[in-house]
Amino acid sequence: MTAGPPNRRMRRFFHNITTALACWLGCGVSGGFAAESPVKSKSDGGSAQPFFKEHCLRCHGPEKAKGDLRLDQLDTDFAKPSTFDRWREISPRAQLGEMPPKKEPRPKPAQVQTFVRQLSARLDDAAAKHRAEGRVVLRRLNRVEYENTVHDLFAVNVAVKEMLPEDTIAQGFDNVGAALNISPVLMERYLEAADAVITAALLPVHKLESKMERFNLYDSLPSWFVAGVWKQDDGVILFRSSGDSSSDLRQFKAPAPGRYRFRIATSAHNSETPLPLALLLGNFVVSGNYSRHLGYFDAPPGKPTVIEFEERLSAKNDTIKVTPVALPYVYLKHETMPEYPGPGLKIHWMEVEGPFPEAWPTESFRRVFGDTDPKLGKLADAEKLLRALLPRAFRRPVVESEVKPFVALVAKSLEMGQPFEAALRAGYKAVLASPKFLFLREPKGPLDDHALASRLSYFLWSTMPDETLLALAGKGELRKSDVLRAQVERMLKHPKAKAFTENFTGQWLSLRDIGATTPDKALYPEWEEMLQWSAVRETHLFFEELLKQNLSVRNFVDSDFAMINGRLAKHYGIPDVHGVAFRKVALKPEHHRGGVLTHASVLKVTANGTTTSPVLRGVWVLDRILGRPVPPPPPNVPAVEPDIRGATTIRDQLAKHRATENCAGCHARIDPPGFALENYDVIGGWRERYRVVAERKNWVNNRVGPLAKYLAAYQYGLGLPVDAGDALPDGRAFADIAEFKKLLLTNPDQIARCLTEKLVTYATGQPVGFGDHAAVNRILAEAKKSDYGLRTLIHAIVASELFQQK
């Protein structure tokens, strides 16, 4: 079953339930009330029937139906999943009481609590019946997990993720079982991917002798390109204006795939601080060819430093490229370069050594053939190899009946005259396309040790269990609480835990969308690739710092430190931080930073490249930080289009929008958190006024100082002042982001609950349901002992029944 967007009718229903229940339950997102309340029991000290009649049916009953919504006609059979889903949103909304119109009578707190208790009891009963079949549906490996798994299974480094269709997103994640369907097209792609994996595992090694060569980068540059560089006796200086499209080392072309050592002597010209450079590997002759970004490095001022590393070139004729980044955009001619006082990247020389000798057979070759000679292999050899592969591929012991079909497939291929390698390949491809490989085996009830090992490994590593986990599972010891806790600690300290940071934050915080929009170069000329990389890296390192130090999840809302490098420090206006390396920096109020809400990565993915929208950012905060998502707007409501020329602010436009009865309810929740972030522009920079498209005479003048005559002029003007103040639905007002964060942190339990539910969804492949709330409460109670330390929270989730049961 594939998750998809709600249909038109369902969107209208969600919208009506949000806005029309404004007669106190006004924020019920997807539920309804029948002619009689479904919460009639008096066993807990009162009936909810008066509450239902007075505050619900009065506006949405047979006599009056605001928003064309008749709550007396909606189903109350909680055994139906659709009905259950509608009702379960009512309870928290009623308890919070976000949107009762001021003109409507307010119920007494006791009435609300009675209603919530009785509705919750019915939902819990219904959820218990649903859980009898297990809360987690059969879950397929997503394409990231598939690629990581075949890498570990065959010791290969081949990109197969892009060969597979993108996985469907549900509840913000691409590993939710209900959304990970199988189609004939996907099965074809799996067979193609398996073929590519086996081919990569069997690649021969070169037989060339290694040699070392030293080059002057200037001699590799094409004639049209050298006009933008300054040749020196001891190297060449690259400036920002020269671009980076042709600064690859064309004098060197790899004679064969293999490992090479690279050494680059570099220094910063006309700079008192280190200058960053980017290094890439690949074939750059034809635009669009595959290339690999190695990272960013520092060129120090003064004497040259040598950057040295070993890397594998994956194809013949590959080479290395070096590019300057984050330098001023300037116009230079050869005759003005000697007098130009600005910075440049000097490359003194470049050196390549290789390809280094490689042992044969390779580890990946042995993973396929073991000790068997493929030219002499027989069916018995194939059976032996399959018996060794299957327990690792299926991540558990296998029985005889599971081995026979794959052996029979190889036997049939051999009978048809196929060579041993082709026959074994057919068997291996069948294994890699088998449901027992593609799906996580999670039997009903408590997970056995092998299923637990897989769930834990895909949670923290996004790949198959290693030998340690499988050995503990084989002994039946992994479920022991002390053993399991020790394994979580081991896994969090392992380099593979990088996958947890990147894949969880990439989806929870939408970091994967960092490149989805390109900021308008006229409005945001300072945006470039290194700033984008640094922005994402900051959030990853921030998450890892909280995890490593077991810091409170409160820090996701506000923190007194940031993990930044020189490029981000410049962007944020934080002094005395230089270089590519990241470090932990104490924050001051005037920096306007702290917590992920003010990370450039988050602020970029919640904008559209040209303008910011309090609606987009408000929806994001409600969903990702507070765990209170809002429904999509009804289809007949047009989007608010910002005025990029600055004559009207987005606040003025939204004020008109909120004046519409059908829009007011949702926007009372959405707009305040969005406005709180309005001091941050499209790329996460702090602003007091909006940047706007303007006539040349009104452009901001950046051509000042010693570089004035060389700098390219900014092409934007400054518009109206930013107003970041607003009030929450409960009436609490704030003037800026600092005050808004303080209001959020008055309820840290809500922040922790939201993150817990996101983590449980990611860890188990199943969103948290209403019936899971008791288990979530137990997780939160454990985490609260450490002030909701992130590491404690991970341990509590792994120890919970939500994690250890299907």
Side-chain angles (χ1 to χ4, degrees):
M1 175 179 171
T2 303
N7 60 29
R8 188 184 186 94
R9 182 178 178 184
M10 185 59 72
R11 284 200 302 266
R12 181 169 179 78
F13 172 81
F14 281 147
H15 169 71
N16 285 343
I17 207 72
T18 302
T19 57
L21 281 185
C23 58
W24 174 226
L25 276 189
C27 38
V29 170
S30 56
F33 294 80
E36 292 189 0
S37 169
V39 286
K40 296 183 288 186
S41 170
K42 297 182 181 180
S43 60
D44 61 353
S47 171
Q49 189 72 7
F51 174 90
F52 178 76
K53 287 183 177 180
E54 179 180 355
H55 297 286
C56 302
L57 291 185
R58 186 168 59 83
C59 294
H60 303 286
E63 298 179 2
K64 186 178 181 181
K66 280 190 176 181
D68 297 324
L69 182 63
R70 287 282 301 273
L71 301 181
D72 58 314
Q73 294 180 345
L74 298 181
D75 197 356
T76 58
D77 183 1
F78 286 20
K80 297 178 181 179
S82 59
T83 300
F84 179 89
D85 288 339
R86 292 175 180 180
W87 278 103
R88 70 175 178 174
E89 297 294 338
I90 298 284
S91 180
R93 302 283 195 258
Q95 192 165 25
L96 290 170
E98 299 172 325
M99 299 189 298
K102 295 180 180 179
K103 63 182 180 180
E104 296 291 344
R106 301 296 183 105
K108 295 179 180 179
Q111 286 181 296
V112 178
Q113 293 306 315
T114 298
F115 174 80
V116 169
R117 279 197 303 272
Q118 294 179 8
L119 177 56
S120 298
R122 284 208 56 188
L123 287 166
D124 282 336
D125 289 343
K129 295 175 182 177
H130 292 318
R131 284 199 305 272
E133 296 300 319
R135 66 179 296 273
V136 179
V137 301
L138 190 65
R139 177 156 64 109
R140 171 176 63 78
L141 302 182
N142 63 28
R143 61 185 193 151
V144 171
E145 294 166 339
Y146 178 93
E147 181 175 90
N148 291 343
T149 301
V150 295
H151 283 184
D152 289 350
L153 198 57
F154 289 100
V156 294
N157 186 15
V158 57
V160 294
K161 181 179 69 174
E162 300 305 325
M163 299 175 66
L164 305 175
E166 288 193 9
D167 298 302
T168 303
I169 304 296
Q171 301 295 318
F173 295 97
D174 65 3
N175 65 346
V176 173
L180 294 172
N181 62 331
I182 286 279
S183 67
V185 171
L186 182 56
M187 287 306 303
E188 290 181 13
R189 299 288 179 84
Y190 276 135
L191 292 172
E192 293 171 5
D195 216 25
V197 169
I198 297 168
T199 297
L202 301 182
L203 286 175
V205 299
H206 69 84
K207 298 181 180 180
L208 302 175
E209 289 189 7
S210 176
K211 66 177 182 178
M212 183 177 69
E213 297 178 274
R214 179 172 288 193
F215 305 94
N216 185 328
L217 178 61
Y218 184 86
D219 297 331
S220 284
L221 303 178
S223 57
W224 64 266
F225 187 76
V226 297
V229 304
W230 188 16
K231 183 180 180 181
Q232 305 279 288
D233 291 339
D234 59 344
V236 61
I237 300 174
L238 306 176
F239 299 102
R240 181 66 171 170
S241 59
S242 65
D244 62 7
S245 60
S246 296
S247 53
D248 49 300
L249 187 62
R250 299 189 177 191
Q251 282 185 303
F252 169 76
K253 294 182 179 180
R259 292 195 65 80
Y260 294 79
R261 178 180 294 118
F262 299 90
R263 303 177 75 233
I264 300 119
T266 182
S267 63
H269 171 74
N270 277 353
S271 177
E272 295 180 356
T273 58
L275 296 179
L277 62 98
L279 293 177
L280 301 89
L281 298 178
N283 189 323
F284 307 98
V285 174
V286 178
S287 177
N289 280 358
Y290 169 79
S291 64
R292 181 159 55 98
H293 197 289
L294 292 180
Y296 296 95
F297 302 82
D298 279 329
K303 294 182 179 180
T305 189
V306 176
I307 300 169
E308 181 174 343
F309 57 92
E310 283 189 24
E311 283 289 337
R312 182 174 184 83
L313 295 179
S314 58
K316 184 179 179 180
N317 293 327
D318 277 3
T319 188
I320 185 171
K321 177 192 280 191
V322 55
T323 68
V325 292
L327 295 178
Y329 193 85
V330 294
Y331 295 112
L332 291 177
K333 297 179 180 180
H334 271 299
E335 56 269 25
T336 61
M337 288 179 184
E339 65 185 41
Y340 173 60
L345 176 68
K346 186 170 185 177
I347 304 299
H348 298 260
W349 48 261
M350 300 177 71
E351 193 174 87
V352 184
E353 182 180 3
F356 295 126
E358 295 184 321
W360 182 262
T362 62
E363 176 61 25
S364 57
F365 186 92
R366 286 194 294 267
R367 296 280 181 98
V368 175
F369 287 120
D371 297 326
T372 301
D373 185 340
K375 296 180 179 180
L376 303 175
K378 305 295 182 183
L379 179 60
D381 298 308
E383 181 174 351
K384 178 181 177 182
L385 291 168
L386 283 165
R387 289 184 181 278
L389 174 68
L390 285 170
R392 293 188 296 116
F394 293 173
R395 304 171 287 273
R396 59 172 175 77
V398 296
V399 297
E400 187 66 23
S401 61
E402 293 177 302
V403 179
K404 287 183 177 180
F406 301 104
V407 176
L409 179 59
V410 176
K412 185 66 174 178
S413 297
L414 291 172
E415 289 174 9
M416 294 172 63
Q418 294 286 328
F420 179 79
E421 179 182 327
L424 185 63
R425 180 186 288 258
Y428 279 6
K429 288 172 64 177
V431 171
L432 297 182
S434 166
K436 295 176 182 178
F437 171 75
L438 295 174
F439 287 83
L440 296 177
R441 184 191 65 90
E442 297 178 337
K444 180 179 175 181
L447 300 181
D448 62 37
D449 281 67
H450 283 94
L452 182 59
S454 288
R455 180 173 282 189
L456 184 61
S457 187
Y458 284 101
F459 173 33
L460 298 180
W461 287 352
S462 296
T463 190
M464 61 183 287
D466 65 357
E467 293 300 325
T468 300
L469 283 175
L470 291 175
L472 289 169
K475 297 176 184 177
E477 296 180 355
L478 188 57
R479 292 186 60 85
K480 296 178 180 178
S481 60
D482 58 335
V483 173
L484 187 58
R485 182 176 182 83
Q487 287 305 302
V488 171
E489 280 296 310
R490 177 182 73 89
M491 295 175 73
L492 289 175
K493 295 174 183 176
H494 196 282
K496 286 184 180 181
K498 177 183 177 183
F500 172 50
T501 296
E502 294 183 355
N503 293 328
F504 177 69
T505 62
Q507 297 178 87
W508 169 44
L509 300 176
S510 307
L511 302 187
R512 288 183 178 179
D513 297 333
I514 191 71
T517 60
T518 301
D520 188 319
K521 271 296 182 184
L523 290 172
Y524 300 98
E526 65 268 48
W527 183 258
E528 38 76 27
E529 289 185 1
M530 185 185 178
L531 180 54
Q532 177 168 302
W533 171 82
S534 298
V536 174
R537 186 67 180 143
E538 174 194 17
T539 308
H540 288 163
L541 291 174
F542 185 81
F543 184 87
E544 289 177 352
E545 180 70 7
L546 266 59
L547 187 58
K548 180 181 179 181
Q549 304 297 337
N550 197 28
L551 300 179
S552 173
V553 302
R554 297 168 184 260
N555 286 278
F556 286 120
V557 172
D558 198 14
S559 63
D560 60 3
F561 71 93
M563 307 294 292
I564 57 174
N565 63 359
R567 182 66 189 91
L568 271 179
K570 179 181 178 182
H571 187 55
Y572 291 167
I574 299 176
D576 303 323
V577 180
H578 305 288
V580 170
F582 281 79
R583 68 220 71 174
K584 190 173 182 178
V585 175
L587 295 174
K588 298 178 181 179
E590 58 266 28
H591 297 153
H592 308 295
R593 301 291 162 176
V596 297
L597 293 178
T598 59
H599 282 192
S601 59
V602 166
L603 294 161
K604 162 98 170 37
V605 300
T606 54
N608 67 9
T610 303
T611 58
T612 58
S613 167
V615 176
L616 294 178
R617 284 179 170 173
V619 167
W620 189 94
V621 172
L622 289 172
D623 179 26
R624 309 306 172 89
I625 303 300
L626 297 178
R628 290 154 57 190
V630 295
N636 60 339
V637 176
V640 178
E641 296 294 338
D643 178 5
I644 61 173
R645 293 195 172 273
T648 306
T649 66
I650 187 67
R651 180 179 292 274
D652 294 333
Q653 292 174 287
L654 282 175
K656 296 178 182 179
H657 202 65
R658 290 169 72 167
T660 304
E661 183 178 358
N662 286 343
C663 303
C666 283
H667 280 277
R669 294 176 57 208
I670 294 171
D671 295 353
F675 279 126
L677 296 171
E678 197 65 356
N679 273 122
Y680 300 95
D681 63 26
V682 165
I683 60 174
W686 179 261
R687 65 186 176 189
E688 301 287 349
R689 297 169 66 187
Y690 293 97
R691 293 187 186 184
V692 297
V693 175
E695 297 180 5
R696 179 185 291 270
K697 63 181 181 180
N698 295 323
W699 286 354
V700 169
N701 181 25
N702 66 305
R703 304 183 76 175
V704 295
L707 303 187
K709 67 179 182 178
Y710 305 99
L711 290 172
Y714 285 169
Q715 299 179 26
Y716 65 84
L718 293 179
L720 296 171
V722 173
D723 179 3
D726 208 328
L728 299 180
D730 61 11
R732 291 181 295 166
F734 58 87
D736 53 28
I737 182 62
E739 292 183 7
F740 175 73
K741 290 192 290 187
K742 289 179 181 178
L743 293 180
L744 289 189
L745 287 177
T746 60
N747 187 9
D749 295 1
Q750 181 68 30
I751 310 300
R753 180 176 296 278
C754 174
L755 180 57
T756 299
E757 293 184 355
K758 301 293 185 185
L759 283 165
V760 169
T761 300
Y762 178 81
T764 66
Q766 176 65 25
V768 172
F770 194 90
D772 299 326
H773 286 181
V776 170
N777 288 339
R778 287 190 285 273
I779 293 171
L780 290 170
E782 181 63 28
K784 194 170 186 177
K785 297 175 183 177
S786 64
D787 191 24
Y788 299 117
L790 182 56
R791 203 176 192 89
T792 300
L793 184 57
I794 298 297
H795 279 293
I797 288 171
V798 172
S800 72
E801 62 265 41
L802 295 180
F803 189 85
Q804 297 195 23
Q805 294 189 17
K806 183 178 185 296

